[in-house]
Amino acid sequence: MNALSLLFLTMTACSVPDESSVPTEPTDPPQEDTAVAEINDPVHPPPEFESAEVCKDCHSRQYKEWQQSMHAYAAISPVLDAMAAKTHRDTNGGVGTFCTGCHSPVGTAEGEPGSTTAAQRSATSLEGVTCDVCHTAVNHTEPIGNTGLVFQTSENVKFGPFASSATERHRNQKSDFLLQANFCGSCHEVFNYPAIRLEETFSEYSSGPAPEEGATCQGCHMGPVPGVVSHRTEGPSAKLDGYIYPDREQVSHRFVGPDYSLLDDFPYPGDLEASAIAQEELAEQIQVLLENSVHIAAARVEGSDSARTLTVELESLTSGHNVPTGFTSERQLWVEVQVSRDDEVLFSSGDLDSLGDLRDQHSWEVLAGTLHEDTQLANLQSLNLLRWGGGQDIPAGSLPVVDTVFPFDANYIYRRSLAPYERRPYEWNLFGIEPPYRVDVALNFRNLPPYVLRELQLDDLVDRLRIFTIDSESIEVE
């Protein structure tokens, strides 16, 4: 089974014009929309993507930003390799390129099977979502998602938000498609394997208030301040000796989201120090993104004496999608509560077991009976549910339900994310705790839980996981 729908256009060899024929001061011709690509005969060869290394000579700023991004990390992720291997084993290869098609569209176009790992990829395939994946895309298939992109790599044309005269390397053509949210939705909407919707970011965007507000994915994720529309400086989009390029709005090619590298030598293989610095810079940007996404809107303790209730209201700050979004079966957004008097902890929820997991049904210690389940846990992570049985004569709620680790093992995903701008209260019963005491509340985020890595036999990566504290509040109860 191949859920990836790549439709390709005819290609011709790219020629480099003689340097003497290239103007030294490129001018911008009238802006024209990119024409909708035609679907050609499937016997035509696949597109010939260029390496990002070709682009960096003229676009060094964009290259450096992309090099540090999760687009560049997509095809070398050890979690991808392990997850793809599991799904191939479980489906006897039936999953095809469903996973790798999004993480390595170049490799998929080159004919790499879905079982291909980072150690086996071609050099350009290892670049993941490389420059040409976006800048040769001209349309998408319907329904939007599953990397259903149409590429045009012929005639030495690159597509972007501006048009300009031919340069030494390639021609530029304006594309409104690259400025639209449905361009991003071509990858950030994943469905139909196994007959469930794994990621609904684009659907959340389309059904929310963002389109009416005029907001786009690019507006929040390609600006200098992650998560909000912010002022962008201007400057030339390319630098090449002997050429003068006009100033244009500068956009970030880091595409900051909630993920980060679990490899020490990313983004600079062989240079651990530089890689560590770059990873810390990205972590700081992720922190800003998360703080612009959700916060604690209110926290209060109500009641009297030892019969009190803690209420915490969470509020989404974004119109673009739910919080958390993406593969929400892995995203943990939870409230940590600790009630203490002096140095004594009187109550806790949202704390971790000795293996780093929340005390839910995925905690090995809870399952072993050595630790109590956190029955008041407020965790917005989605649940992968496998419902056994069926039939109209069975009363609702009476079917056996199992919460699986992986969505591929489930037949239903129960989502608990906040909708755009939603404000939602959570309550904790503090009965039996006599004042005075202090209540500390923290809103935490983790892109992957440790139990997922252990199930994938990636135990050595657990210590690389980060917990981001997005917001916190403290209450003194007298």
Side-chain angles (χ1 to χ4, degrees), residues 70-94:
M70 291 300 96
H71 280 183
Y73 178 74
I76 64 173
S77 165
V79 177
L80 165 69
D81 279 355
M83 190 77 77
K86 170 185 164 49
T87 56
H88 263 264
R89 289 193 304 269
D90 293 353
T91 65
N92 195 27

Side-chain angles (χ1 to χ4, degrees), residues 13 54 65 178 180 312 425:
V54 176
E65 293 169 348
L178 266 66
Q180 299 169 4
V312 176

Side-chain angles (χ1 to χ4, degrees), residues 326-343:
F327 282 92
T328 51
S329 300
E330 301 171 349
R331 312 292 195 211
Q332 292 186 321
L333 178 68
W334 78 97
V335 180
E336 181 179 1
V337 177
Q338 180 173 288
V339 179
S340 61
R341 182 186 301 117
D342 298 327
D343 295 329

Side-chain angles (χ1 to χ4, degrees), residues 290-361:
L290 294 171
E291 291 177 2
N292 283 327
S293 301
V294 62
H295 74 150
I296 297 174
R300 59 187 177 272
V301 175
E302 298 173 309
S304 59
D305 299 328
S306 62
R308 298 177 188 259
T309 300
L310 167 67
T311 301
V312 176
E313 297 184 24
L314 303 183
E315 183 178 29
S316 165
L317 302 175
T318 180
S319 66
H321 49 68
N322 290 4
V323 180
T325 190
F327 282 92
T328 51
S329 300
E330 301 171 349
R331 312 292 195 211
Q332 292 186 321
L333 178 68
W334 78 97
V335 180
E336 181 179 1
V337 177
Q338 180 173 288
V339 179
S340 61
R341 182 186 301 117
D342 298 327
D343 295 329
E344 180 185 5
V345 176
L346 306 175
F347 171 85
S348 61
S349 175
D351 54 313
L352 307 178
D353 66 16
S354 64
L355 296 176
D357 283 306
L358 295 168
R359 292 186 289 117
D360 59 14
Q361 284 299 307

Side-chain angles (χ1 to χ4, degrees), residues 152-428:
Q152 179 179 317
T153 59
S154 62
E155 300 175 2
N156 199 26
V157 178
K158 307 298 181 186
F159 300 91
F162 302 98
S164 68
S165 303
T167 67
E168 182 180 279
R169 298 295 176 86
H170 60 78
R171 295 192 299 114
N172 305 299
Q173 186 168 334
K174 181 179 182 292
S175 169
D176 285 345
F177 177 51
L178 266 66
L179 303 177
Q180 299 169 4
N182 57 9
F183 168 62
C184 303
S186 299
C187 292
H188 293 278
E189 184 84 0
V190 183
F191 51 84
N192 285 355
Y193 197 88
I196 56 178
R197 302 186 67 83
L198 300 175
E199 178 176 352
E200 295 188 310
T201 303
F202 179 68
S203 292
E204 293 164 3
Y205 167 86
S206 300
S207 61
E212 186 174 341
E213 293 177 357
T216 63
C217 315
Q218 296 88 333
C220 290
H221 291 277
M222 295 187 72
V225 181
V228 294
V229 177
S230 50
H231 174 72
R232 301 175 181 182
T233 60
E234 292 191 350
S237 59
K239 293 183 179 180
L240 186 64
D241 290 344
Y243 293 82
I244 300 174
Y245 295 91
D247 286 344
R248 292 169 175 166
E249 187 176 74
Q250 303 287 286
V251 298
S252 171
H253 285 71
R254 284 191 176 93
F255 315 101
V256 177
D259 292 309
Y260 49 88
S261 172
L262 296 180
L263 300 174
D264 290 331
D265 62 349
F266 178 86
Y268 307 118
D271 193 335
L272 295 180
E273 182 178 357
S275 293
I277 293 173
Q279 290 187 25
E280 288 304 315
E281 290 176 351
L282 178 60
E284 292 173 2
Q285 292 184 313
I286 294 174
Q287 181 71 41
V288 173
L289 173 78
L290 294 171
E291 291 177 2
N292 283 327
S293 301
V294 62
H295 74 150
I296 297 174
R300 59 187 177 272
V301 175
E302 298 173 309
S304 59
D305 299 328
S306 62
R308 298 177 188 259
T309 300
L310 167 67
T311 301
V312 176
E313 297 184 24
L314 303 183
E315 183 178 29
S316 165
L317 302 175
T318 180
S319 66
H321 49 68
N322 290 4
V323 180
T325 190
F327 282 92
T328 51
S329 300
E330 301 171 349
R331 312 292 195 211
Q332 292 186 321
L333 178 68
W334 78 97
V335 180
E336 181 179 1
V337 177
Q338 180 173 288
V339 179
S340 61
R341 182 186 301 117
D342 298 327
D343 295 329
E344 180 185 5
V345 176
L346 306 175
F347 171 85
S348 61
S349 175
D351 54 313
L352 307 178
D353 66 16
S354 64
L355 296 176
D357 283 306
L358 295 168
R359 292 186 289 117
D360 59 14
Q361 284 299 307
H362 292 295
S363 164
W364 288 7
E365 294 178 355
V366 169
L367 293 173
T370 60
L371 197 64
H372 292 297
E373 182 178 358
D374 186 353
T375 57
Q376 298 195 63
L377 175 64
N379 178 17
L380 280 67
Q381 177 185 9
S382 293
L383 301 177
N384 305 312
L385 301 180
L386 179 61
R387 298 174 293 189
W388 298 93
Q392 296 181 351
D393 297 332
I394 299 178
S398 65
L399 295 177
V401 177
V402 177
D403 184 4
T404 68
V405 173
F406 302 104
F408 300 105
D409 299 326
N411 54 23
Y412 179 72
I413 296 180
Y414 178 68
R415 288 177 166 82
R416 301 185 288 188
S417 301
L418 293 172
Y421 296 146
E422 179 184 358
R423 182 164 173 159
R424 184 188 303 171
Y426 290 89
E427 293 186 350
W428 288 261

